[in-house]
Every structure is written in structure tokens, then in C-alpha cells.
Amino acid sequence: MLTNDTLTLLPHTDQRMAEIADKVRRGERLNLEDGVYLYQSDDLLTIGQLANEVNLKKNGKKAYFIENMSLYFTNVCESYCAFCNFRKDQGEEGSYTLSGEQMVEYVEQHIHPGIREFHIVGGHNNHVPFQYYVDSLKALHERFPEVTLKAYTAAEIDFFTRISGLTIREVLTELQKAGLQSLTGGGAEILSDQYREKMKVDKANVDQYLEVHRTAHQMGIKTGTTMLYGSIESHEDRVRHMIQIRDLQDETNGFMVFIPLSMQPKSKNANIMRRNSAYEDLKTIAISRLMLDNIQHIKAYFINIGTQLTQVALTFGASDVHGTILKERISHAAGANTPEGLTRKELIWLVKGAGRIPVERDTFYNEIQVFE
């Protein structure tokens, strides 16, 4: 139990867990062996208690959300990642590539005054030039200058370098001129080249993913970062992923949030055995909080784990519940059976229902309104 914000371990906690708890309470960094042990332990409540204590020290009882829209300019993609059901080939039924003007028209039909961020990702469409991606942002920025453009994954940035012949820094500079203010965290999957080969992750490798974020951070561009878990990777792979992110954060301090993404099955009708368990989702969120001592926020992504488990996650180390989104497509194309978005009112209710204090934020975690 938590008593006066001090962790009291459950009676059945073993010696190894007690040692890890002592390290956490002393502010001592956990290592690879600690992280793997936590994954192998079945003592979920103690792991959750430890993560909750760390989060309370970092963020108090505040849980953050943003009013945002997810936008997808194109689903045409040159890559054939094994886990992706969003991508299409050029000319395939259901494929699309929207111009900036078409996206502006779509946004005008759906936007409301509270939207603060456009979250923009899409396919690696090599049938259009890099300038298309620049012009896409420029059209949105000119029409909605008050809305932050959080656009493209590190894998997309790497793709842009290949189709343009520009360096990472040059690509980011051109996108900044068009209105880019932050990068999304996607494309990390599992930071293991062996994993990426087996899962046919035909895009940026580990070094390239990290180098894009390193360069962005050096340029003053804050970013998020993700981990897609629940397929063929081992527990050690997951912890090594976290450590690589932690090491880069030590170097740049540019990550605002870590987002564990629960792998979705190919179909919404997939049975329970094709999905990650709630146990695994909560454990991963908690271990992320414990391993990533230098990142302020861990996100519970309701699109992948559902709204009620998101509420529980707020006492397992999470301090962010993402945003309104309006119409998410990538996880839902892969079989997510959760809401495609939530209203501002619903997000406030979700956080309060977990006994936390809802805080509306902007992209950079500046507080807009606190709902005591």
C-alpha cells in the first residue's frame, strides 16, 4: 500500500523485488537485468505500486490530455511491414493520396475551436516527391496557424532523405519552414535489427531511427517515442529498447513522452488469444515508468488498450491519456476495437474516474487548464 506517499511492499514480495524497490526509492537507475526480472515476475501489484510512486513524485496526481486531430495524407506505402494493415499499393482499392487543399477541406469539416494539435503520419509514398510532404504541412499551417503541427515519424523522415537526397537536418529544416514544430514517436516498433528483419520492418533501422530523433533534438525539436510490443520480441528486447531510448534522452533531453503501443491483431473480430492481455499491458506501462527515469511522461494509449484499462494505467505509472484524436485509422485498420476518438468531456471524465486530476495541455505539456 501507499502510506504517506511511501511505498510499503506487499507481504509476499521476494528479496530480488525488494532490492529493486530499494533502488527505485533511492533514485538509482535500473539496469537490463532489473527490467527483465520485472517482466518475469508475476508480482504485478508491487511493480504497479513502484511505478505509481515514481509517477507521483514526477507528476503528482495530474494526468494530461490534449485536444487534437489525427490526419493521414496518404496510405500508399513502399514498405510491407508484417504488422501493418493500414498501407496500400498505389492504385489498390482503398488507396488515397490527398493534396494539402483536400486535407484543409477535410479539417474544415471536422475541426472545432479547441483543437490545438494536428497529429500527422502516413505511408511512405514514393510516387510523390518530397515537396509534396512539405506542401502538405504548408497548406495546413497557412490555413490553421494557431494549431501545432506534430508531423511524421522518424521512419518517414528517413524515407524523405532517400527520396530527396537531403540530409536529416536539411529535411527537418525544410519541414520547419513549412510549419513543423514536433515529430511523432512512431516507427520505433522494437529497436532491434533482428526483430526488424523478422517482422519485415522495411524502413528506418535502429540507428537511423535514433539519429533522426537525435538530430531533431539538437535542432530544438521536441519529440515523443514509442514501442510496439506483443509480437515476436522477448522481454529482453523490450528492456533493451527502453535503455536505448533512455541513453539518447541522457544525451539530448528531447523526448517528452514514451508511448508503449500494444500490438493489434489483423481483425477487429480476433479472439482474446490474438490480443495482448490486460496484465501484459499494465506491466509494460509500469516497467516503462521504472526504466525511463529521465522521461517525464508515460502515455496510456486508450486507442490500443481501451478506456477502462487506461484508467487503471494511471495508477500503474502513466500520466498521459493522449487526446481527442477524432478518427484514428492505423490501429483500427489493424483490428483495434476501441473508440476512434473521445470528446474533451469524456477525457476529463476518464481521468477523474481514475481518481486523478485532468490537465488539458498543449503539444509541449504546457498546462492550459487544470480541472480540480
Side-chain angles (χ1 to χ4, degrees), residues 117-167:
E117 174 189 282
F118 295 141
H119 182 283
I120 303 166
V121 294
H124 297 192
N125 186 345
N126 57 359
H127 298 276
V128 291
F130 171 57
Q131 192 62 40
Y132 162 81
Y133 296 94
V134 176
D135 292 343
S136 297
L137 295 191
K138 187 176 180 181
L140 282 173
H141 184 59
E142 289 180 349
R143 176 62 184 84
F144 307 101
E146 73 285 358
V147 180
T148 299
L149 297 186
K150 185 171 76 175
Y152 306 133
T153 66
E156 287 174 276
I157 300 299
D158 175 73
F159 166 70
F160 297 158
T161 68
R162 289 189 281 110
I163 64 173
S164 68
L166 301 175
T167 65

Side-chain angles (χ1 to χ4, degrees), residues 133-302:
Y133 296 94
V134 176
D135 292 343
S136 297
L137 295 191
K138 187 176 180 181
L140 282 173
H141 184 59
E142 289 180 349
R143 176 62 184 84
F144 307 101
E146 73 285 358
V147 180
T148 299
L149 297 186
K150 185 171 76 175
Y152 306 133
T153 66
E156 287 174 276
I157 300 299
D158 175 73
F159 166 70
F160 297 158
T161 68
R162 289 189 281 110
I163 64 173
S164 68
L166 301 175
T167 65
I168 294 170
R169 185 175 292 270
E170 289 169 340
V171 164
L172 290 172
T173 297
E174 291 304 306
L175 294 173
Q176 277 187 307
K177 290 177 184 176
L180 177 78
Q181 293 174 265
S182 179
L183 296 185
T184 71
E189 323 316 355
I190 293 292
L191 293 176
S192 156
D193 285 327
Q194 275 189 323
Y195 167 95
R196 296 170 102 74
E197 183 177 350
K198 289 179 182 177
M199 291 296 287
K200 301 178 182 177
V201 183
D202 187 22
K203 52 188 178 184
N205 63 27
V206 173
D207 289 341
Q208 289 163 336
Y209 178 89
L210 294 172
E211 187 58 30
V212 168
H213 282 281
R214 176 180 288 108
T215 304
H217 298 169
Q218 290 170 348
M219 296 172 66
I221 302 171
K222 296 287 188 178
T223 72
T225 186
T226 60
M227 179 180 75
L228 182 67
Y229 64 92
S231 58
I232 65 168
E233 81 282 353
S234 66
H235 290 153
E236 183 173 331
D237 288 333
R238 295 183 195 176
V239 179
R240 287 189 184 279
H241 177 112
M242 295 175 197
I243 290 173
Q244 289 180 85
I245 295 299
R246 189 174 71 184
D247 288 347
L248 182 55
Q249 181 74 341
D250 279 344
E251 179 185 336
T252 66
N253 195 34
F255 291 122
M256 299 179 289
V257 59
F258 181 77
I259 309 144
L261 297 174
S262 185
M263 178 76 79
Q264 300 300 298
K266 289 286 187 182
S267 168
K268 289 185 179 182
N269 298 320
N271 64 36
I272 190 172
M273 291 182 291
R274 301 289 297 175
R275 299 177 183 274
N276 284 326
S277 68
Y279 177 90
E280 193 72 11
D281 289 333
L282 287 176
K283 183 181 278 190
T284 297
I285 287 168
I287 293 172
S288 299
R289 179 64 286 164
L290 294 172
M291 293 299 301
L292 295 165
D293 51 47
N294 55 2
I295 294 181
Q296 189 70 22
H297 298 286
I298 305 296
K299 182 174 292 186
Y301 190 50
F302 73 83

